[in-house]
Amino acid sequence: MLAASSRRSAWWAGTATLGVSKIIENMEIGHNVMHGQWDWMNDPEIHSSTWEWDMSGASKHWRFTHNFMHHKYTNILGMDDDVGYGVIRVTRDQRWKPFNLYGNLLFNTLLAIGFEWGVGLQHLELGKISKGRDDRAATLVRVKEFGIKAGHQLAKDYVVWPAVTSLSPGATFKSTMKANAVANVIRNVWANAVIFCGHFPDGADKFTKTDMVGETKGQWYLRQMLGSANFEGGWLLRFMSGNLCHQIEHHLYPDLPSNRLHEIAVRVKEVCEKYDLPYTTGNFAVQYGKTWRTIASCRCRTSFCATPATTLRRLAASGCSRSSDQAMHNGSRDRSPSRTELCGRNGAGMAS
């Protein structure tokens, strides 16, 4: 369609479909492949160790910042860089700075528009670089890797494909370049909305480093559940979000194939109800609105934004954390279901 993009209707149709294809490649394919959800197939083309996605950040970098740092230290201040992405205050336990007054909403808007660049730059740890606290040799390696990937991406989107389509009498170099830029923004804004709905709306707790002291495996699972939030929608919304509308289930079983998350959600919710644990979910638009409300309220020094580990500390204070730990991990008959029990025998080994 972009080969005929000199016509306005063809340009809009081509731009929209390209944006949708980038969303699918990023959310349903790239994210889930790099989590190792399909490694069990032993197909080198869709393996977590070889996949390189269609965005500026290097897959190698993302696998560390996301698969390891984010999923292991979910919503822990000072450990999980996804908590505010270093520029947005999302909880009262984050130190307030004057620029938060305008920066919270401004940076969140800019981050949404250029989300692929925020994700790509995250692994470089610009904060440490600016303070001289980085390993300079390691930093240079990461910068080089990022520069190579970002350079290839920019060349593909804004030089190669525009040049190819400009060979058509119905398109120009400039029209395709603009289409690619808009398609990237469409993908960025959507990915930002989906991910932020998973960790920043009301009910998604934030934690401090002290909350993980002496943390058992069962309590780790509990923290994953308390720090995540779902949103509701039909099959199309599930597909377009890479099934991250089931963020709670994804954080409990990150390498479980995404098409099984909807299936196990019913049983995870039953476990939560049985042990009186919160299961945060809601309409997609409402959840996204709540993330913006949190970000807006936390721009002020004194605000109503979330206090870290609210539910976790309440459970500990009431003596319920022990039974919750038992529910999420131990071998008693009252424990939460294992992946085998949740998915059935055929799905138990799919993403081990």
Side-chain angles (χ1 to χ4, degrees), residues 202-256:
D202 298 357
D205 279 347
K206 316 299 183 296
F207 310 93
T208 62
K209 293 178 182 178
T210 57
D211 291 312
M212 63 176 290
V213 175
E215 184 179 65
T216 66
K217 188 173 182 179
Q219 289 166 345
W220 181 88
Y221 278 103
L222 179 62
R223 176 166 55 80
Q224 297 302 314
M225 183 165 30
L226 298 179
S228 304
N230 289 1
F231 57 84
E232 298 165 358
W235 68 268
L236 182 59
L237 186 58
R238 292 200 300 271
F239 176 70
M240 293 301 293
S241 67
N243 284 280
L244 290 180
C245 53
H246 295 295
Q247 191 73 243
I248 294 172
E249 289 75 20
H250 172 59
H251 266 263
L252 291 174
Y253 308 106
D255 58 354
L256 180 72

Side-chain angles (χ1 to χ4, degrees), residues 33-331:
V33 167
M34 288 192 290
H35 261 297
Q37 294 178 9
W38 305 104
D39 286 2
W40 59 274
M41 295 177 64
N42 295 318
D43 185 335
E45 293 191 11
I46 53 170
H47 197 276
S48 61
S49 62
T50 59
W51 186 269
E52 190 60 64
W53 56 2
D54 182 36
M55 61 187 301
S56 60
S59 295
K60 173 184 176 182
H61 293 177
W62 183 85
R63 287 196 298 269
F64 177 79
T65 58
H66 183 82
N67 290 6
F68 178 66
M69 295 301 293
H70 171 63
H71 273 269
K72 182 174 182 178
Y73 303 110
T74 303
N75 280 21
I76 296 178
L77 295 173
M79 300 293 289
D80 179 7
D81 288 338
D82 282 12
V83 181
Y85 286 83
V87 292
I88 304 170
R89 185 172 182 253
V90 294
T91 173
R92 284 180 292 181
D93 269 19
Q94 283 178 284
R95 186 163 60 92
W96 182 86
K97 300 177 182 177
F99 80 84
N100 291 131
L101 282 171
Y102 65 88
N104 254 31
L105 295 175
L106 173 63
F107 282 123
N108 192 45
T109 302
L110 295 176
L111 182 62
I113 294 171
F115 195 57
E116 63 172 314
W117 295 98
V119 171
L121 290 168
Q122 188 179 38
H123 189 65
L124 303 186
E125 298 183 306
L126 299 180
K128 287 185 178 180
I129 294 175
S130 65
K131 297 174 182 177
R133 290 164 43 194
D134 64 308
D135 180 334
R136 194 48 51 100
T139 294
L140 291 175
V141 171
R142 292 196 297 267
V143 169
K144 181 180 178 181
E145 291 171 341
F146 171 73
I148 291 173
K149 176 59 195 300
H152 288 167
Q153 192 70 25
L154 289 170
K156 178 182 73 69
D157 283 348
Y158 303 117
V159 178
V160 177
W161 283 118
V164 170
T165 57
S166 67
L167 298 175
S168 167
T172 65
F173 184 96
K174 189 176 180 179
S175 66
T176 302
M177 186 171 65
K178 286 182 177 179
N180 280 338
V182 173
N184 281 330
V185 170
I186 291 172
R187 184 269 318 280
N188 291 344
V189 171
W190 177 256
N192 174 270
V194 169
I195 292 168
F196 273 44
C197 280
H199 293 292
F200 297 143
D202 298 357
D205 279 347
K206 316 299 183 296
F207 310 93
T208 62
K209 293 178 182 178
T210 57
D211 291 312
M212 63 176 290
V213 175
E215 184 179 65
T216 66
K217 188 173 182 179
Q219 289 166 345
W220 181 88
Y221 278 103
L222 179 62
R223 176 166 55 80
Q224 297 302 314
M225 183 165 30
L226 298 179
S228 304
N230 289 1
F231 57 84
E232 298 165 358
W235 68 268
L236 182 59
L237 186 58
R238 292 200 300 271
F239 176 70
M240 293 301 293
S241 67
N243 284 280
L244 290 180
C245 53
H246 295 295
Q247 191 73 243
I248 294 172
E249 289 75 20
H250 172 59
H251 266 263
L252 291 174
Y253 308 106
D255 58 354
L256 180 72
S258 60
N259 61 332
R260 306 301 297 276
L261 296 178
H262 179 63
E263 180 182 339
I264 71 169
V266 176
R267 302 186 187 183
V268 171
K269 192 171 183 179
E270 288 174 354
V271 171
C272 292
E273 292 175 351
K274 180 177 181 179
Y275 292 96
D276 194 26
L277 296 171
Y279 186 88
T280 305
T281 188
N283 175 271
F284 174 64
V286 172
Q287 293 292 82
Y288 190 46
K290 287 179 178 179
T291 68
W292 277 93
R293 183 176 67 182
T294 295
I295 292 167
S297 65
C298 287
R299 75 188 189 278
C300 302
R301 183 190 293 272
T302 303
S303 64
F304 296 100
C305 60
T307 301
T310 325
T311 308
L312 195 61
R313 291 171 184 169
R314 176 179 60 80
L315 289 170
S318 63
C320 295
S321 59
R322 193 171 185 179
S323 60
S324 300
D325 179 28
Q326 181 187 42
M328 298 309 296
H329 176 60
N330 74 16

